[in-house]
Amino acid sequence: MKVSYDWIKSWLPLEANANAAPESISAALTASGLEVEGLEEVVATPGGLVGMVVGEVLACEQHPGADRLKVTSVDVGSEEPLSIVCGAPNVAAGQKVVVATVGAFCHPSDGEPFKIKKGKIRGEVSMGMLCAEDELGLGAGHDGILVLDSSNATGSLSVGTPAAEALGLESDHVIEIGLTPNRTDGMSHFGVARDLRAALRFGDGTSDLDGDLPALQPMTGDRWATLPKGDCPIDVQVQASDGAPAYMGLLLEDVQMCASPDWLARRLRAIGLEPKNIAVDVTNYVLHDIGQPLHAFDADRIGGGKIIVRRASEGEAFLGLDEKEYKLSAADLVIADADSPLCLAGVWGGAKSGVTVETTRVFLESAWFDPVSVRKSARRHGLSTDASFRFERGVDPAITLHGLQRAAALLVELAGARISGGVSTSVSGLPQGANIRLDWDYLDVLVGVALDRQRVRNILESLDIHLTAENEEGLDLSAPAYRRDVTRPADVVEEILRIHGYDHIPAPQGMRVATQTPPKIDMEGIQREISTLLVGRGYTEIMSNSLTKSSYSELVEDPCLDPAAEVRLLNPLSSDTAIMRQSLVFQGLEVVARNRNHQHSNLRVFEFGKGYFQKEGEASETTPAVTYQEPRFLALWASGEGSDLYTLKAEVEALLARMGVDSKGETPLESTGLFSEGVALKTKRGGTVRIGQITPALAREFSISDPVFWAELPWDSLCAASGNCRVKATALPRHPWVRRDLSLNIPSGVTYAQIEKTIRSTAGKLLRSVELFDVYRADDATSYAVALTLQDPDKTLNDKVIDKTMQRVIGALDSQLRVSLRK
């Protein structure tokens, strides 16, 4: 969110304060919780009139060598007057003028910027330039130099005054704040100024600078119109008060739809808004000034002279400001006339009743709309506006009337408007602030030190958290309604600390930590170790959202996906985040697709994450009817060059070996909507690990043409099995190992699991490992290359023993599985 430094000063006049510099204000806001992400200077005119000052022409004489030139002596506040040659016909002694001093850059309205240099013109020294309007970039006038007087200057005309200050064109600074969703109080310049004053008042950690700071300007006085009592000429009917607990309207007539004055236009442009017309600009101004969204209707285009706040009819048509027709839901709240919807409440205006240059009667709306209703309507129709941004988070219910008063005063002053009738008001069931009990002991424990009690009271009062009662044990407090995030004692402590300053809490000289018996299973430690292992093997860790599309579960049928156990969000932000995931597979496929689209087709990634399931049963005194489970998984994906089922299986086996989890064998996976082929590794006490190739049909749903291989490991079960495994220590072998490779012809229907089982049962105690390192498939033949590692812990193996073992293995493969050596 962008705020203007100059605009903030209209609420908190800081000119005389030592901490008034934009950089100091930015630091104070960040320390108080409104984190400043950027600070940018915005000049009112190109170049900012840097190097231009007010000068007084002391003397003006004819140039001795040119009829159309004058030689002037100009006082600019320096030790000696400057001699400047000028060709303007209107230059004369006694004038106050704008002087571009040597070194300054002029940015003319037409043409490129140029630098003022010391020089000689027809033999006379010239130490600057007396500027015309177009040479300053302020207009097109070039008939003569710009002569300063009360008609065009708003600031001091003292000699040496910067020209930007004299002309009222001083630069502004735009502060960009990273506003968090809970800080609805900071969604306006008034809110930022309120927080800033508290931060400056208490920011040094000890003092209370209340007397040294200007007061925050109140929402009263000349800037706020006094609205007459009586009936509004527009008949307002609120039929859906649940969606609009507060709705107010005011009619203004004789509105002159002119352009906004420069000061208002500059403020809007500073925060990124382009001025349109006086009515729209005033509503935008009030929105960003005090945080109250308004809407302006052309009163002559309100059918039947009625404003009706109601729910839409299912499928009712609404033509928006973008000339797009929206089909409304029965849950949408609309502002309608006697004929049709005029706008989508709190979200989007309509083309039918918007103000135009011909509008003379304006109906102003100020309301407090239900945040849930606004958010659902905005998401339902894919709209996001400044108004919906604020209504969704909850605006201050106490400023609904203030918004009308401020806008009415501006339109009366700037557009010659006349208030017609009174304010139509409908108020019922507005939210109230929380009542909170804060005990001193609780505050001291959370902060770590005992803060000065009066300082705490003053901080709370500066944040509009009012003290309603007090005793020796603590305070009874009432939070303002606009602080919807302050509901608990812990929230109040956070408010105190952010204003007092976290960096002003003294660090203890020593730390006291209660000793704890470490848990038997260090799941975080195991996760770090396995992450390091996978990264070392060429994998990259990813993190994806636990919220996913509900449509994914409809793509395939698989035991890991149970539609009946889906955990659905009550108010999803969009259909892309409607349910909690049950498996990590779909987010991984999104990552593969995204990387392929960016020319990264060779991919090895892994993720630790949770699946979410709900289970319905019978309720009891201790057990609710619906329970939730959040098992953790580790998932691996491989795609591209060098990726196949057995390579991924080897990675999983290495992972299980590192965790000390033994495999009890493997079985082929049945082809499902998720896997086209694969294996299931059964582990001792660690559950079943499924490894396989994603079906091409599912891959195509993500626009992936290459094979994708995926494995999902039940992380909770594996960690438990890892914690229960017994470590066996053996002496390092003193004798070398021997490797022998077999190239085997594999008959149809024989699996690698069968081959490995036969080899292990036949080779005996000399066998240390079996590894599949190559697979060859032709049209009608399959060949495996298998490596056997043999080792005797007591002696060095000789060829006779090795050959005898290998012949026994070959014979068993042939007799039991009809697997023969490849020739």
Side-chain angles (χ1 to χ4, degrees), residues 57-68:
V57 180
L58 302 178
C60 179
E61 299 177 357
Q62 184 65 44
H63 191 292
D67 294 339
R68 296 184 179 182

Side-chain angles (χ1 to χ4, degrees), residues 25-36 199 203 497-499 501-503:
I25 284 177
S26 298
L29 289 173
T30 297
S32 69
L34 294 176
E35 183 177 0
V36 174
L497 276 176
R498 72 179 182 85
I499 298 300
Y502 286 98
D503 52 346

Side-chain angles (χ1 to χ4, degrees), residues 143 295 375 387 541:
D143 295 337
H295 191 72
R375 179 168 57 83
E541 185 170 8

Side-chain angles (χ1 to χ4, degrees), residues 519-685:
K520 189 174 182 179
I521 302 174
D522 181 10
M523 298 190 71
E524 290 186 3
I526 296 174
Q527 180 172 327
R528 285 195 299 270
E529 184 176 354
I530 296 304
S531 296
T532 302
L533 170 69
L534 290 171
V535 170
R537 299 176 74 92
Y539 280 73
T540 301
E541 185 170 8
I542 63 173
M543 296 179 68
S544 57
N545 197 343
S546 296
L547 301 175
T548 188
K549 298 180 180 180
S550 57
S551 59
Y552 281 161
S553 60
E554 301 171 1
L555 296 176
V556 296
E557 292 184 4
D558 190 84
C560 72
L561 304 173
D562 183 4
E566 286 180 347
V567 180
R568 290 185 170 272
L569 272 66
L570 294 177
N571 299 308
L573 294 177
S574 71
S575 59
D576 289 346
T577 56
I579 66 170
M580 306 291 284
R581 66 186 177 194
Q582 293 183 333
S583 171
L584 280 63
V585 61
F586 299 115
Q587 278 92 342
L589 290 174
E590 290 177 349
V591 171
V592 173
R594 188 177 302 111
N595 278 271
R596 286 178 57 81
N597 291 338
H598 288 80
Q599 309 303 315
H600 299 295
S601 57
N602 299 325
L603 208 61
R604 310 283 189 277
V605 295
F606 71 96
E607 179 179 9
F608 292 93
K610 289 183 178 181
Y612 301 86
F613 302 83
Q614 69 175 8
K615 181 179 179 182
E616 295 187 6
E618 295 184 3
S620 65
E621 294 182 359
T622 58
T623 306
V626 179
T627 57
Y628 296 90
Q629 297 175 338
E630 299 181 10
R632 283 176 285 192
F633 298 99
L634 166 61
L636 287 75
W637 294 265
S639 179
E641 185 178 346
S643 298
D644 57 47
L645 174 62
Y646 298 100
T647 301
L648 184 58
K649 178 173 172 285
E651 303 290 357
V652 172
E653 289 174 337
L655 185 153
L656 295 176
R658 175 63 67 88
M659 296 181 72
V661 177
D662 296 329
S663 172
K664 295 174 61 178
E666 64 183 59
T667 57
L669 278 178
E670 295 183 3
S671 179
T672 66
L674 190 56
F675 291 111
S676 59
E677 64 169 337
V679 295
L681 294 181
K682 295 183 179 179
T683 64
K684 294 180 180 180
R685 300 183 302 274

Side-chain angles (χ1 to χ4, degrees), residues 95-116:
Q95 293 175 334
K96 293 290 183 69
V97 295
V98 176
V99 180
T101 58
V102 173
F105 278 88
C106 285
H107 292 73
S109 301
D110 295 320
E112 296 296 322
F114 58 90
K115 186 177 181 179
I116 302 300

Side-chain angles (χ1 to χ4, degrees), residues 301-304 306-308 310 335-342 352:
R301 301 169 73 183
I302 298 176
K306 292 182 178 181
I307 287 290
I308 305 171
R310 60 174 174 84
I335 312 301
D337 60 10
D339 305 319
S340 60
L342 300 178
K352 174 183 175 181

Side-chain angles (χ1 to χ4, degrees), residues 60-62 67-70 72 85-93 95 97 130-132 135 141-147:
C60 179
E61 299 177 357
Q62 184 65 44
D67 294 339
R68 296 184 179 182
L69 297 179
K70 302 287 181 63
T72 64
V85 177
C86 179
N90 65 329
V91 63
Q95 293 175 334
V97 295
L130 306 186
C131 299
E135 292 165 336
H142 195 71
D143 295 337
I145 60 173
L146 178 65
V147 180

Side-chain angles (χ1 to χ4, degrees), residues 440 443-444 447 449-453 455-456 496-497 500 505:
W440 293 119
L443 173 66
D444 295 344
V447 174
V449 296
L451 298 179
D452 180 77
R453 301 318 192 204
R455 180 177 176 82
V456 169
I496 295 169
L497 276 176
H500 174 77
I505 302 298

